[in-house]
């Protein structure tokens, strides 16, 4: 819209149209862009280089051998990405073309969503999704509010209230809206869903323009859905790719798995060997002229490249494909798991990144949130304490309540000091109905505590029912069934730093009250009178029982005080910069000198089987840390309840209180001494075998102490405390961190992650405050409630108890499978390439290949790839039930046990041994002797085919030996691969292939099979190659008792 | 490699507006199927390698391999084989004079070597020539051929593959057969005589049946065209540089001439190792009363054309009988006996281990 006269310095800006483009490619740029993206990956680029080398210089293998697999990989990936992009295109189109109601010249017009421009006024009806980010102008509800669910944005299904701009909320129809004349200033688009700073200037015909602050409560986000409100009007402010939803599409950085890295490092430079000078041309084998003219250096270089091409199969392209497929397909087993499906919510586990599957089997630290993760986040009002008198619900019901004005005030405070909305009865859909209440209504709030309180008051305290908020008047039904009206003047909303919220209301008598409700630690320092001591002791007792406590306080404001406060608030809210900071300062000024009313206690039940899960995790050798914002006593009680701390656990405290008594330095040293002394004696004990029961330690630390530890010291010796702290933590079986700010949670995770053992960490949480910690950890898991930006997590599970199966069973399986897959791939390619290497000594180092091109190409693609892929998907060396029953089996695979150097050396040794057996077996069979019964001779291709046949059979049978879980699919794949190899060989040698310029394999395979010694040789060589592995397996059963192998006997 | 699920997530992760309000229908579709496959509960055979299961296998392998090995070993020992080196590097050798023969020499160098067979060769005898230190498996050599040309393709005949360089074109004419392999074809002529009371009785050497049947009849074909006159069919090509005569004059018999000459085919199958032998001639047993080659004196006439001295090579002539398992090869028999014995031995060791540790193992506590 045109800037109205009088606005200075309006800089015309180009706004994007409202098209959402989440797709990466267009039809035209797909091929080049996709190729570019793919070749940016180091592995693909490496294979591209190999391929180019083969094209340019004269190499032993034709470019086809590496080009075909590369093409295959690239094509498969491109098709997959193309398909995904096509789906995105379709989704985009659907979104861009959905009709939107615009206001144009006072009339309602329907247009496609993508034609929306900044400044357009849009009408949205109930249950419609907002087409772009809108400034909320007015709604059909008289009070200028509307309810919105942002489930598709951040997963929080609760209804949130948004407020229309004060000056425009009166406009109710198209014409009125169209007459509006205003400008909006706002910040540049940014992805934070919960932050918005702006200002609206409304120009009236004659008057001065009025400026109003705009905050996130005025901003309706694209993707959110309008609920419970007939229609609203809004003005488009961010469109298209500038909407907050689109900005949040940005892909997060890939987390890379440790196994993959290791495989790359281990295998990358296997060919550190030099090409020896080969005999120059004998008369029978002369070089061409250009070859002769090349200088020595160039020749050496091309020779080197040729050797590189010959041996590049050690790291086959197909390994990446197979690993990727294994991870991708394997993750489906997680989502398919019936036991991890939650009937109540109708949701199963979600896998957002399959790259990290095997890390699930490597977890050493689990960081869990308490509320909502360990506990149900389903609050129940338990008791309240007014002025030191304790009331439990049924007692209140019995009416044994002293009629006292403080009490009335207390209940009024509870009824007024909240941000709960009332859902009308007619639109009840599935939410539980409050049968006890006189008027059935449903309370909705983003905080379950508040609902519990308001509901509890309504249900148990005869009287006091919160009815609704109407035209800024809060209506409550009091004891005498009279409706009391309070004008809501200000809401000082809750935030996790202040840990309290306040409302300022004006009663019908004109008194202005400020009611405040918050955590005890944030209320007590601000209280100037009231029965603090009694209430404090009660609060502490409740906290020990694991109840969530809130303190309620109030103060009476004089009209003058109120107007001051209001001015301050208004100024702070109007600020375009640092608005949060300024608001916090103002809140700090207003919320003081309270009179304490009482405290409430709300119970948050433990999730089912939380204790069982934690116990299992601890048995599995995983350290469980609870990170919570709750106060110490409550958190500790929960920890006892869920068996994180046991009765015999010695609790070490590292809290602010303790640090006040001693210096941080002393506390830390004392603790470490305790822990380490014990540890010393422990090792002695285990040696002497006297004591088997372990004294375990639990550490409790709070946010303040943590920040002291993390703070670098002035004298430069920073990091010292951290080390000490880490040392203590390492020796504790459980750690509880309470009073944590969200960022501190992430700090803790980072601290552990970067400690010197580089343990794999897992963070699990359910809310917005856990996101930073989840992003920091190696594996992030999100619980059921409020999947704030679910894409931030790597996995999502419905309930905490599912973590047990996820780690102990799926994680274990994934890890065992992938480690076998990686090592087996390495092994089979050593077997494949090492004979090739040996052959160079017998062919004058001329880079002659031992195998035919088709075999070289197909070895990793089809002859040996499917059985291992299937193994990677199906293998269960121990049954899932056993793994669940015996969490200690998890220790078997901990700390990358299966990919250590010892295992790697064993596989390499086995590979080299087998390769030597293949090659020299064939060598002695063929050397200067006749192996046919008709006296005819075999050539080099028969030799290679013999080695290859033995090779294919051996590596496949080796896998068969490793398979512990033979389903029909395994049988089909393993034997099918061998049959396929035979059929392929028969076919490949069976006809003269047209369009091929060589026919070297013609009848080679059949001729070989017609020879008796070849058969005998094949059988002998396979037996010899498999012998050491069988022997190792049998002997390790006796001498290296791995737990899971022992478990096998107890099936 | 990044596997991004974002699409899937959008497709079924957030059915818009349905979150938090679990509708009955939605639950049913999202609940995973309770199939054995999806729940990873497929019925499976779970074999465990323990001494108990492996022991019998070891004994059985031992018991099977040892007799086989003995059988092979005996068979191999019964095979008669006689080998003479006629390179002529030693001054005393009759072929010493021919040692430095070259390709261009016009006069053939011939030499005769006399030898005595101690034992008679009873069944069919196969005559081989053997070369040592000859890298037929060199990469540049192996690929230096044109299979289409050899298969009788007329266009390849006149325009051979580039792989044949530098033996592709000579004096502006395509070489047939082109390439280094063909060019270096073995061209010594060996003739065998039995000396019976100072008379040299020539022994019939059969030159057919020495190449693979499929090579002779399918893989190698003469060019096709009007008539059967090979000279005309090879019109426009030239002989390989080192050859004294063109390919259509290799033999007098039409079905053994040109590309389907068996000596040529045998040579074209490149050997796997630098020391190799190739089938040269067959000596068929005449009747059941007499051995094919009686014990006694023989002489070998050699038309020495093939120079090997320059690359330190050796040339041999081998006479061998053949059994069902080919020629003399002690390796296979010994290997079988060895592996069989090792298996048997391991079986015994495992038996002891099984008895000593087996009981302890099953009663072992699972350490926590």
């Amino acid at each position: 819209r045109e800037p109205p006269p009088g606005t200075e310095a309006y800089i015309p800006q180009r706004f994007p149209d409202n098209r959402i483009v989440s797709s990466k490619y267009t039809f035209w740029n797909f091929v080049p862009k996709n190729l570019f993206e793919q070749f940016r990956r180091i592995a693909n680029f490496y294979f591209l280089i190999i391929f180019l080398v083969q094209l340019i210089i004269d190499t032993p293998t034709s470019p086809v051998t590496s080009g075909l697999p590369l093409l295959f990989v690239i094509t498969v990936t491109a098709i997959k990405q193309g398909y995904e992009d096509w789906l995105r295109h379709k989704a985009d189109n659907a979104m861009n073309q959905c009709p939107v109601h615009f206001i144009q010249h006072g009339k309602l017009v329907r247009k496609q969503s993508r034609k929306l421009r900044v400044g357009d006024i849009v009408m949205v009806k109930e249950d419609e999704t907002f087409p772009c980010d809108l400034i909320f102008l007015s709604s059909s509800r008289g009070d200028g509010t509307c309810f919105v669910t942002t489930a598709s944005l951040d997963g929080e299904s609760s209804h949130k209230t948004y407020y229309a701009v004060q000056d425009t909320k009166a406009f109710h129809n198209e014409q009125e809206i169209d007459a509006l004349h205003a400008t909006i200033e706002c910040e540049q688009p940014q992805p934070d869903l919960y932050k918005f700073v702006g200002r609206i200037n409304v120009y009236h015909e004659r008057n001065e323009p009025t400026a109003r602050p705009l905050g996130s409560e005025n901003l309706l986000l694209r993707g959110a859905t309008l609920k419970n409100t007939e229609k609203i009007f809004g003005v488009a402010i961010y469109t298209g790719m500038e909407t907050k939803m689109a900005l949040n599409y940005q892909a997060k950085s890939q987390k890379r798995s440790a196994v993959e890295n290791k495989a790359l490092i281990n295998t990358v430079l296997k060919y550190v060997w030099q090409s020896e000078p080969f005999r120059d041309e004998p008369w029978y084998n002369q070089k061409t002229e250009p070859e002769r003219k090349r200088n020595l250096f160039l020749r050496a270089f091309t020779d080197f490249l040729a050797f590189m091409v010959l041996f590049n199969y050690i790291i086959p392209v197909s390994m990446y494909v197979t690993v990727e497929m294994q991870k991708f397909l394997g993750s489906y087993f997680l989502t398919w798991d019936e036991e991890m499906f939650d009937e109540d919510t109708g949701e199963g586990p979600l896998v957002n990144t399959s790259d990290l599957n095997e890390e699930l089997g490597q977890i050493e630290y689990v960081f869990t949130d308490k509320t909502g993760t360990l506990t149900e986040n389903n609050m129940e009002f338990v008791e309240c304490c007014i002025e030191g008198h304790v009331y439990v619900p049924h007692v209140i019901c019995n009416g044994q309540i002293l009629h006292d004005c403080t009490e009335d005030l207390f209940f009024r405070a509870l009824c007024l000091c909240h941000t709960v909305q009332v859902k009308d009865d007619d639109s009840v859909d599935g939410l539980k109905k409050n049968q006890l209440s006189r008027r059935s209504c449903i309370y909705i709030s983003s905080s379950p505590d508040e609902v519990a309180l308001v509901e509890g008051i309504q249900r148990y305290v005869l009287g006091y029912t919160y009815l609704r908020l109407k035209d800024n008047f809060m209506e409550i039904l009091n004891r005498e069934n009279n409706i009391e009206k309070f004008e809501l003047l200000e809401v000082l909303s809750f935030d996790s730093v202040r840990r309290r919220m306040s409302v300022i209301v004006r009663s019908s008598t004109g008194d202005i009250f400020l009611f405040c409700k918050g955590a005890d630690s944030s209320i007590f320092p601000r209280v100037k009178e009231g029965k603090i001591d009694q209430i404090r002791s009660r609060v502490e007792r409740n906290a020990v029982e694991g109840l969530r406590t809130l303190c309620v306080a109030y103060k009476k404001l004089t009209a003058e005080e109120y107007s001051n406060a209001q001015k301050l608030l208004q100024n702070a809210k109007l600020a375009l910069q640092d608005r949060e900071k300024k608001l916090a300062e103002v809140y700090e000024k207003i919320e003081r000198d309270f009179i304490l009313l009482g405290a409430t206690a709300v119970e948050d039940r433990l999730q089912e089987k939380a204790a069982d899960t934690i116990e299992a995790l601890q048995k599995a050798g995983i350290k469980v840390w609870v990170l919570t914002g709750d106060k110490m006593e409550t958190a500790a009680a929960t920890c006892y309840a869920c068996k994180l701390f046991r009765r015999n656990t010695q609790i070490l405290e590292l809290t602010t209180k303790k640090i006040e008594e001693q210096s941080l330095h002393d506390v830390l040293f004392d603790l470490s001494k305790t822990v380490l002394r014990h540890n010393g004696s422990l090792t002695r004990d285990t040696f002497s075998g006297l004591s088997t029961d372990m004294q375990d330690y639990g550490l409790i630390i709070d946010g303040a102490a943590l920040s002291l530890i993390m703070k670098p010291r002035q004298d430069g010796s920073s990091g010292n405390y951290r080390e000490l702290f880490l040392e203590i933590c390492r020796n504790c079986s459980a750690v509880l961190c309470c009073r944590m700010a969200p960022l501190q949670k992430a700090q803790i995770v980072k601290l552990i992650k970067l400690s010197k053992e580089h343990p794999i960490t897992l963070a699990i949480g359910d809310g917005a405050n856990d996101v930073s910690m989840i992003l920091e950890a190696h594996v992030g898991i999100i619980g059921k409630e409020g999947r704030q930006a679910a894409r931030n997590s790597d996995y999502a599970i419905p309930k905490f108890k599912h973590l047990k199966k996820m780690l102990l069973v799926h994680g274990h399986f994934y890890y065992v499978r992938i480690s076998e897959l990686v090592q087996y791939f390495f092994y089979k390619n050593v077997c494949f390439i090492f004979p090739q290497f040996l052959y160079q000594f017998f062919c004058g180092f001329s880079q002659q290949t031992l195998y035919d091109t088709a075999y070289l190409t197909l070895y990793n693609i089809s002859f040996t790839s499917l059985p291992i892929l299937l193994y990677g998907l199906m293998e269960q060396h121990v049954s899932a039930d056993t793994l669940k029953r015996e969490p200690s089996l998890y220790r078997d695979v901990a700390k990358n046990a299966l990919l250590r150097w010892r295992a790697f050396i064993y596989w390499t040794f086995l590979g080299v041994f087998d390769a030597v057996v293949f090659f020299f077996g064939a060598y002695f069979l063929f050397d200067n002797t006749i192996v046919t019964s008709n006296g005819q001779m075999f050539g080099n291709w028969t030799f290679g085919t013999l080695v290859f046949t033995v090779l294919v059979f051996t590596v496949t049978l080796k896998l068969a030996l490793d398979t512990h879980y033979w389903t029909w699919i395994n049988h089909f794949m393993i034997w099918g691969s061998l049959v396929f190899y035979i059929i392929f060989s028969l076919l490949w040698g069976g006809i003269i292939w047209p369009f091929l310029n060589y026919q070297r394999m013609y009848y080679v395979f059949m001729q070989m099979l017609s020879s008796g010694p070849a058969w005998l040789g094949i059988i002998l060589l396979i037996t010899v190659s498999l012998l050491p592995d069988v022997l190792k397996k049998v002997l390790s059963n006796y001498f290296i008792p791995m737990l899971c192998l022992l478990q096998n006997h107890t099936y | 490699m990044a596997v991004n699920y974002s699409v899937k997530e959008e497709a079924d992760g957030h059915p818009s507006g349905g979150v938090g309000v679990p509708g009955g229908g939605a639950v049913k579709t999202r609940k995973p199927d309770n199939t054995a496959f999806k729940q990873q509960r497929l019925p499976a055979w779970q074999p465990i390698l323990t001494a108990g299961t492996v022991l019998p296998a070891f004994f059985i392998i031992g018991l099977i391999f040892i007799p086989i090995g003995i059988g092979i070993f005996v068979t191999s020992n019964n095979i008669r084989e006689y080998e003479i080196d006629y390179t002529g590097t030693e001054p005393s050798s009759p072929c010493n004079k021919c040692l430095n023969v070259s390709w261009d020499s016009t006069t053939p160098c011939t030499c005769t070597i006399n030898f005595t067979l101690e034992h008679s060769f009873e069944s069919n005898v196969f005559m081989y020539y053997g070369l040592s230190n000859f890298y037929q498996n060199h990469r540049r050599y192996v690929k230096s051929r044109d299979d289409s040309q050899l298969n009788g393709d007329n266009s390849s005949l006149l325009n051979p593959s580039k792989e044949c360089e530098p033996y592709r074109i000579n004096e502006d004419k395509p070489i047939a057969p082109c390439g280094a392999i063909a060019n270096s074809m073995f061209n010594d002529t060996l003739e065998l005589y039995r000396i019976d009371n100072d008379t040299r009785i020539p022994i019939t050497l059969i030159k057919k049946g020495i190449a693979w049947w499929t090579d002779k009849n399918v893989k190698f074909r003469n060019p096709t065209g009007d008539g059967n006159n090979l000279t005309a069919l090879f019109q426009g090509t030239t002989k390989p540089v080192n050859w004294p005569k063109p390919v259509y004059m290799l033999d007098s018999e039409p079905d053994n001439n040109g590309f389907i000459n068996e000596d040529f085919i045998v040579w074209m199958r490149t050997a796997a190792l630098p020391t190799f032998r190739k089938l040269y001639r067959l000596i068929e047993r005449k009747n059941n009363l007499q051995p094919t080659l009686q014990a006694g004196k023989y002489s070998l006439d050699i038309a020495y054309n093939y120079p090997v001295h320059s690359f330190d090579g050796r040339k041999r002539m081998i006479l061998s009988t053949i059994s069902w398992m080919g020629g003399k090869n002690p390796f296979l028999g010994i290997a079988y006996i060895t592996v069989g014995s090792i298996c048997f031995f391991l079986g015994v060791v495992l038996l002891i281990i099984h008895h000593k540790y087996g009981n302890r193992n099953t009663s072992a506590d699972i350490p926590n």
Side-chain angles (χ1 to χ4, degrees), chain A residues 41 58-60 80 84 87-88 151 157 249 254 260 279 283-288 291 324 328 331-333 336-338 341 343 347 351-352 354-355 429 787 791 810 817 839 842-844 846-848 874 876 921 923-925 928-930 932-943 964-967 969 992 997-1000 1002-1004 1007 1013 1016 1019-1020 1023-1024 1027 1030-1031 1033-1035 1037-1039 1043 1046-1047 1049 1051, chain B residues 1-10 14 19-21 30-32 34 37-47 49-51 54 58 65 72 103 126 128 133-135 137-143 147 151 165-167 180 184 209-212 214 218-219 242 269-274 276-279 306-307 310-311 316 320 322-329 331-332 335-336 339 346 350 353-354 357-358 360-361 366-367:
Chain A
R41 298 200 37 237
D58 173 43
T59 55
K80 200 186 106 214
E84 286 178 356
L87 288 183
R88 270 186 231 123
S157 52
Y249 264 137
Q254 281 296 326
E260 242 180 280
R279 272 158 244 248
W283 61 261
Y284 54 84
N285 187 11
Q286 277 163 350
K287 295 176 185 168
T288 53
E291 271 178 328
E324 191 184 349
F328 177 79
S331 62
Y332 276 102
F333 283 116
W336 281 336
D337 194 328
E338 205 187 17
F341 182 81
E343 297 281 352
E347 285 187 45
V351 180
N352 295 333
S354 58
D355 281 358
D429 50 348
R787 271 181 279 109
R791 55 183 161 271
H810 289 288
R817 288 166 186 175
Y839 192 54
F842 298 91
C843 71
S846 61
Q847 304 118 28
Q848 172 58 33
M874 311 281 286
Q876 298 180 25
Y923 176 81
F924 286 118
L925 195 66
N928 205 23
T929 53
I930 309 137
T932 53
S933 51
N934 60 6
Q936 293 167 357
M937 295 303 294
F938 287 155
N940 63 326
W941 299 116
T942 316
F943 181 75
H964 293 95
Y965 194 76
W966 283 86
T967 63
I969 312 178
I992 296 273
N997 59 1
Y998 58 84
Q999 306 293 344
R1000 55 198 180 204
Y1002 186 64
Y1003 257 72
V1004 162
Q1007 286 284 349
L1016 289 172
I1019 292 167
L1020 178 82
T1023 316
V1024 173
L1027 207 59
V1030 172
L1031 207 63
K1033 280 191 179 15
V1034 173
L1035 290 182
N1037 263 359
Y1038 289 97
F1039 299 113
L1043 284 173
L1046 277 179
Q1047 286 299 309
H1049 300 290
Y1051 267 114
Chain B
M1 226 177 251
V3 177
N4 199 330
Y5 279 70
S6 56
V7 172
K8 190 180 135 284
E9 193 183 312
E10 277 159 28
H14 296 297
V19 177
V21 190
R30 293 186 56 178
K31 179 162 176 150
N34 184 15
F37 172 70
K38 288 189 174 181
Q39 301 304 322
Q40 306 194 61
R41 259 189 246 115
L42 278 180
W45 172 53
Q46 294 165 315
L49 287 182
T50 58
V54 173
F58 273 89
F65 274 28
I72 296 171
W103 286 105
F126 296 76
Y128 296 88
N133 208 13
F134 188 103
Y135 284 85
N137 57 6
H138 194 281
R139 181 164 65 91
R140 211 166 51 227
Y141 189 83
V142 168
K143 67 173 187 180
D147 278 335
N151 197 31
E165 290 288 3
Y167 303 102
S184 60
I210 56 174
W212 292 14
T214 49
V218 186
K219 191 171 165 183
N242 288 350
R269 182 156 293 281
T270 49
L273 298 164
F276 60 89
R277 53 172 79 171
K278 283 182 184 289
L279 188 54
Y306 204 71
S310 59
F311 56 87
R316 288 160 297 143
S320 173
I322 295 286
S323 71
W324 61 270
M325 54 147 290
K328 212 178 188 63
N329 188 3
F331 165 75
L332 203 57
Y336 259 90
V339 172
L346 285 176
L350 284 180
I353 290 174
H354 188 57
Y357 299 96
R360 191 205 68 174
N361 188 45
I366 299 150

Side-chain angles (χ1 to χ4, degrees), chain A residues 831-870:
Chain A
C831 285
F832 181 47
I833 290 308
F834 203 67
Q836 184 88 268
F837 166 71
L838 292 172
Y839 192 54
Q840 298 309 308
F841 291 92
F842 298 91
C843 71
F845 296 99
S846 61
Q847 304 118 28
Q848 172 58 33
T849 60
L850 188 53
Y851 321 111
D852 178 53
T853 310
Y855 287 158
L856 275 175
T857 314
L858 294 178
Y859 176 71
N860 274 317
I861 294 182
S862 54
F863 296 146
T864 59
S865 64
L866 284 179
I868 183 64
L869 175 64
L870 200 78

Side-chain angles (χ1 to χ4, degrees), chain A residues 473 484-489 504-515 555-563:
Chain A
F473 280 94
E484 295 181 18
K485 278 192 180 183
F486 291 88
E487 188 185 355
L488 181 62
L489 299 171
I504 301 176
V505 293
R506 182 186 282 135
S507 72
S508 45
T509 55
D511 295 330
I512 299 170
F513 291 99
L514 186 149
F515 292 112
K555 76 173 174 183
K556 215 165 171 178
L557 294 176
T558 61
E560 192 187 342
E561 276 171 334
Y562 168 66
S563 63

